[in-house]
């Protein structure tokens, strides 16, 4: 059974809070729920961005997702 | 922000070619921060290392693409480029602009950014180079609200789709490239603005094999116009070319005297599949051998035209990367009807089959062409639900691209080989 939207959101946020590096690939979130389709996970991750619970980090060629407080902290120290 | 001494860069103004150094100096007269681009670049030439910091969290709200963050790592020396973000703006189909639209866009960019542009980037969109973080949202507001224009793609998104002139001006176009490009751009807004993929993904649309947008070299899915019936021949016009009454190649080589037109040398001998010949004064084509390369049609446009049963070939997997070699797309579907009437249903289904698989199997930062290579063409076409055909590879006789799976072999791999050999000697 795939997780509900809210459960999936929490799992994604937890992963973003605890990952070794703040920037995560969308694929890293697939593991949050192996039963959810990649497109579903992308949609939920983007909803989290709109809610302000995740943030994009882009190199220009690759876009990653990050926990806002962690990434803003890292950006400050760059 | 004052002028810096730039002896190394100044050398780039010495040649007979246009120089970006001269352009930037000119721009700096009205936008003094541009002096700092020159200063920082001069320092990079001296230090032999870039002084740009790549990437960051900049963007406009809700968009995971369209803005590329760039910062100086020596902002004390060059405050004008402390922030110097790039903005990608979607170009109109086939790059048809009105001067009014261009002027407005340039005014907007003077107001919010450095006024430095690159028309166009290698993806095909408008590149606006250099603005500060706090200018992004105001710029975006004006772009979308005053001009009705949108950001293009960047990062792990679908990149701004691009098309050739197509049926708007070109008689060779085998499908409506502009309509297709526009329709898919709207259909895939989410994929353009919100990163969904392991890495970038591009589609490009050319109306024929002349491939004016270089789809075969630059796009993950290349849609290239073709036909499946016969090249349409006007034998009377062929005679006019032979008699020298019509200029070959539409007159495009008329700057020099190349001597009288020679149909054997300039058309027949250059046909890659050697499927053309003269029978008396009639030009003949063995259409089942023709690869639809467009060469003969380019040389004799008034005598030859693409066939009437038109559509496109679909190729997958081009890339022009920094790491590993560049790679052209591989032909996957030799002919597909590309039609607005069914809202490009067949093409969309193809695209989404590729995506669903690649999103699952593609590694981070792996282009779809690399994923294909990693698993092998034979596996890729199985996933796409297609049968292998010789057109998929360059030299079928030399390349064992089809492998038997055990279930396809009568008796499986453990069959009694001696019994088989008794009937068929090795
Ligand atoms: C009188 C001696 C030989 C005869 C009649 C012979 C005949 C053949 C034939 C008919 C083929 C198939 C070609 C094709 O399907 O295109 C072949 C392939 C081959 N033979 Fe021989 N062969 C002989 C000696 C040798 C020797 C001495 C070697 C190696 C030391 C050798 C190595 C190969 C290899 C590697 C292939 C496969 C080539 C490929 O598919 O690219 N053959 N041979
Ligand atoms: C460092 C040593 C070698 C390198 C780098 C090398 C490389 C290659 C390459 C790139 C191919 C083409 C494979 C393909 O088209 O997929 C090939 C084919 C072949 N090589 Fe070598 N090779 C080496 C040594 C040898 C040796 C020592 C032999 C025989 C004693 C040999 C026999 C063959 C044969 C028979 C083929 C054709 C196989 C076929 O078409 O089925 N190679 N090799
Ligand atoms: S790709 Fe073909 S159809 Fe498109 S503009 Fe070029 S020549 Fe014309
Ligand atoms: S289109 Fe190309 S392959 Fe076909 S007949 Fe003309 S030159 Fe030959």
């Amino acid at each position: 059974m795939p997780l509900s939207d809210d459960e999936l959101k929490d799992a994604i946020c937890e992963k973003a809070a605890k990952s070794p590096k703040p920037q995560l690939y969308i694929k890293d979130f697939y593991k949050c729920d192996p039963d959810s389709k990649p497109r579903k996970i992308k949609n939920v991750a983007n909803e989290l961005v709109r809610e302000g619970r995740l943030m994009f980090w882009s190199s220009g060629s690759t876009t990653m997702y990050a926990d806002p407080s962690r990434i803003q902290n890292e950006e400050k120290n760059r | 922000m004052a002028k810096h001494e730039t002896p190394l860069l100044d050398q780039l103004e010495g040649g007979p070619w246009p120089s970006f150094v001269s352009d930037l100096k000119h721009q700096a007269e009205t936008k003094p921060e541009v002096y700092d681009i020159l200063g920082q670049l001069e320092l990079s030439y001296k230090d032999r290392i870039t002084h740009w910091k790549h990437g960051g969290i900049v963007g406009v709200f809700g968009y995971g693409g369209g803005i590329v963050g760039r910062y100086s790592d020596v902002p004390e020396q060059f405050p004008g480029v402390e922030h110097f973000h790039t903005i990608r703006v979607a170009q109109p189909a086939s790059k048809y602009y009105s001067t009014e639209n261009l002027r407005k866009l340039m005014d907007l960019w003077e107001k919010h950014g450095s006024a430095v542009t690159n028309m166009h980037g290698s993806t095909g969109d408008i590149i606006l180079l250099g603005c500060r973080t706090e200018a992004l949202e105001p710029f975006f507001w004006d772009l979308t609200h005053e001009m009705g224009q949108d950001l293009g793609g960047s990062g792990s998104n679908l990149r701004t789709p691009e098309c050739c002139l197509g049926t708007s001006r070109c008689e060779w176009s085998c499908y409506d490239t502009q309509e297709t490009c526009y329709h898919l751009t709207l259909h895939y807004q989410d994929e353009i603005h919100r990163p969904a993929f392991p890495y970038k993904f591009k589609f490009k649309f050319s109306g024929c094999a002349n491939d004016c947008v270089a789809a075969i070299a630059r796009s993950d899915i290349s849609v290239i116009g073709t036909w499946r019936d016969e090249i349409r021949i006007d034998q009377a016009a062929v005679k006019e070319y032979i008699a020298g009454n019509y200029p070959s190649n539409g007159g495009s080589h008329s700057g020099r005297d190349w001597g009288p037109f020679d149909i054997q040398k300039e058309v027949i001998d250059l046909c890659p599949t050697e499927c053309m010949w003269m029978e008396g004064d009639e030009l003949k084509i063995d259409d089942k051998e023709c690869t639809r390369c467009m060469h003969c049609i380019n040389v004799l446009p008034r005598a030859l035209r693409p066939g009437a049963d038109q559509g496109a070939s679909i190729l997958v997997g081009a890339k022009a990367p920094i790491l590993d070699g560049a790679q052209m797309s591989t032909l996957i579907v030799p002919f597909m009807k590309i039609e607005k009437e069914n809202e490009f249903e067949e093409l969309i289904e193809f695209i989404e089959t590729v995506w669903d698989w690649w999103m699952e199997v593609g590694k981070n930062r792996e282009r779809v062409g690399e994923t294909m290579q990693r698993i092998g063409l034979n596996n890729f076409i199985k996933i796409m639900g297609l049968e292998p055909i010789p057109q998929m590879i360059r030299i079928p006789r030399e390349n064992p691209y089809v492998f038997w799976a055990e279930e396809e072999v009568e008796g499986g791999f453990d069959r009694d080989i001696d019994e088989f050999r008794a009937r068929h000697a090795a």
Side-chain angles (χ1 to χ4, degrees):
Chain A
M1 264 276 286
L3 300 179
S4 73
D5 281 15
D6 283 340
E7 289 168 333
L8 188 54
K9 279 184 182 173
D10 289 343
I12 288 175
C13 289
E14 193 184 320
K15 180 141 192 130
K18 292 190 177 151
S19 58
K21 285 193 70 183
Q23 297 97 331
L24 288 145
Y25 290 101
I26 187 70
K27 284 186 78 87
D28 296 333
F29 295 133
Y30 291 1
K31 290 170 206 131
C32 293
D33 182 18
D35 294 332
S36 287
K37 290 232 162 250
R39 221 170 251 236
K40 164 89 188 174
I41 293 187
K42 181 265 293 185
N43 287 338
V44 168
N46 276 283
E47 222 173 289
L48 285 166
V49 172
R50 287 191 289 277
E51 289 170 9
R53 294 170 69 190
L54 283 183
M55 224 169 181
F56 293 126
W57 184 97
S58 175
S59 70
S61 63
T62 312
T63 316
M64 303 175 87
Y65 294 76
D67 177 284
S69 58
R70 290 182 72 195
I71 193 71
Q72 279 164 331
N73 221 3
E74 191 187 83
E75 286 289 307
K76 250 184 255 149
N77 302 327
R78 271 201 339 152
Chain B
M1 284 166 275
K3 214 171 156 175
H4 306 278
E5 290 300 312
T6 54
L8 294 173
L9 284 175
D10 295 347
Q11 292 178 22
L12 297 176
E13 294 184 284
W17 46 78
S19 168
F20 73 91
V21 176
S22 308
D23 286 352
L24 288 174
K25 284 180 180 170
H26 177 71
Q27 188 67 70
E29 288 165 18
T30 48
K31 286 274 179 186
E33 66 258 42
V34 174
Y35 284 128
D36 283 353
I37 308 181
L38 292 162
Q40 179 172 309
L41 189 58
E42 181 78 12
L43 183 66
S44 281
Y45 279 21
K46 252 188 266 162
D47 296 350
R48 292 168 181 261
I49 193 164
T50 182
H51 285 291
W52 293 116
K53 283 194 293 188
H54 282 59
I57 53 177
V58 292
V60 295
F61 187 70
Y63 274 44
I67 312 285
V68 181
R70 293 290 181 261
Y71 299 88
S72 170
D73 71 0
V74 278
E76 304 77 19
Q77 273 183 74
F78 305 109
V81 293
E82 180 184 17
H83 299 189
F84 209 71
H85 311 314
T86 297
I87 300 180
R88 292 223 169 105
V89 175
Q91 79 284 15
S94 312
K95 307 194 177 81
Y96 281 112
Y97 293 96
S98 65
T99 47
E100 190 198 355
N101 171 265
L102 279 175
R103 285 208 178 87
K104 264 195 182 161
L105 189 63
M106 293 309 115
D107 287 347
L108 205 61
W109 189 229
E110 289 259 4
K111 182 172 156 202
H112 295 289
S114 72
V116 178
T117 67
N118 171 16
M119 305 282 277
H120 300 81
S122 37
T123 298
D125 44 15
I126 303 162
I127 310 285
L128 305 178
L129 288 158
C131 78
R132 295 190 57 86
T133 305
E134 58 275 15
L136 289 168
E137 290 288 358
F139 170 85
F140 180 61
W141 176 272
D142 289 352
L143 180 77
T144 47
H145 291 75
E146 280 177 21
M147 301 190 55
Q149 223 159 325
D150 199 358
L151 296 185
S154 71
S156 306
N157 301 36
L158 175 62
R159 300 304 184 83
T160 326
E162 196 188 12
C163 60
C164 76
L165 294 171
T167 39
S168 73
R169 290 194 66 183
C170 185
E171 65 198 45
W172 291 329
S173 194
C174 293
Y175 68 98
D176 189 342
T177 57
Q178 295 186 306
E179 184 63 44
T180 316
C181 187
Y182 181 67
H183 184 93
L184 293 191
T185 302
L186 293 187
H187 188 78
Y188 289 125
Q189 280 294 297
D190 205 44
E191 282 73 10
I192 293 174
H193 299 310
R194 281 162 273 282
F197 303 129
Y199 202 19
K200 64 181 85 165
F201 198 95
K202 305 182 179 181
F203 6 93
K204 296 196 194 296
F205 306 93
S206 279
C208 78
N210 285 330
D211 197 5
C212 291
V213 291
I216 197 171
R218 304 192 297 162
S219 52
D220 299 273
I221 291 187
S222 327
V223 181
I224 301 179
T226 192
W227 61 94
R228 61 182 161 185
D229 53 351
E230 288 86 44
I231 291 179
R232 287 173 284 177
I233 310 182
D234 176 349
Q235 295 291 355
V238 173
K239 291 193 186 75
E240 296 290 345
Y241 277 108
I242 294 173
N245 297 333
Y246 291 166
S248 62
N249 288 289
S252 58
H253 300 307
S254 55
R256 206 182 115 181
D257 185 10
W258 296 87
F261 175 67
D262 181 344
I263 196 167
Q264 186 67 37
K265 204 169 103 211
E266 291 173 49
V267 180
I268 297 175
D269 290 352
L270 295 179
C271 168
T273 57
E274 299 173 14
C275 69
M276 311 181 85
W277 70 96
M278 293 301 292
E279 240 172 70
D281 56 4
E282 298 237 306
L283 177 66
K284 298 285 178 193
I285 299 176
D286 183 358
D287 283 276
K288 70 176 192 311
E289 295 297 333
C290 163
T291 58
R292 282 73 174 149
C293 79
M294 289 297 291
H295 172 70
C296 58
I297 299 174
N298 291 337
V299 181
L300 309 171
R302 290 174 77 170
L304 304 179
R305 280 192 297 159
D309 185 6
Q310 302 183 335
S313 299
I314 315 295
L315 299 87
V316 181
K319 64 192 179 96
I322 302 166
L323 304 175
D324 288 359
Q327 168 176 316
M328 300 264 201
S329 291
T330 298
L331 184 117
I332 301 298
V333 179
F335 188 88
M336 185 187 279
K337 281 277 178 194
I338 307 289
E339 284 166 339
K340 199 191 170 190
E341 289 67 57
N342 63 6
E343 307 215 298
F344 308 102
E345 193 183 346
E346 206 181 335
L347 180 58
I348 284 175
E349 198 186 310
F350 181 89
I351 290 168
E352 293 183 2
T353 313
V354 173
W355 281 352
D356 285 346
W357 161 75
W358 179 57
M359 285 167 80
E360 191 105 37
V361 174
K363 294 183 182 169
N364 293 326
R365 298 178 61 85
E366 185 177 63
R367 291 286 285 274
V368 74
E370 294 163 319
T371 317
M372 261 167 86
Q373 236 169 22
R374 178 159 60 77
I375 68 157
L377 182 65
N378 55 330
N379 290 323
F380 177 73
I381 58 178
K382 244 179 239 159
I383 289 153
M384 297 302 296
L386 298 169
E387 291 289 318
I389 46 168
Q391 286 95 324
M392 286 168 178
I393 55 164
R394 187 153 164 259
I395 307 180
R397 186 64 185 82
E398 292 185 3
N399 184 339
Y401 67 106
V402 183
F403 298 92
W404 296 97
E406 182 157 14
E407 61 274 16
E408 293 164 335
V409 178
E410 196 190 323
F413 288 164
D414 297 327
R415 71 191 299 176
D416 183 350
I417 199 70
D418 293 333
E419 187 271 334
F420 179 78
R421 284 279 174 245
R423 290 181 287 121
H424 302 275

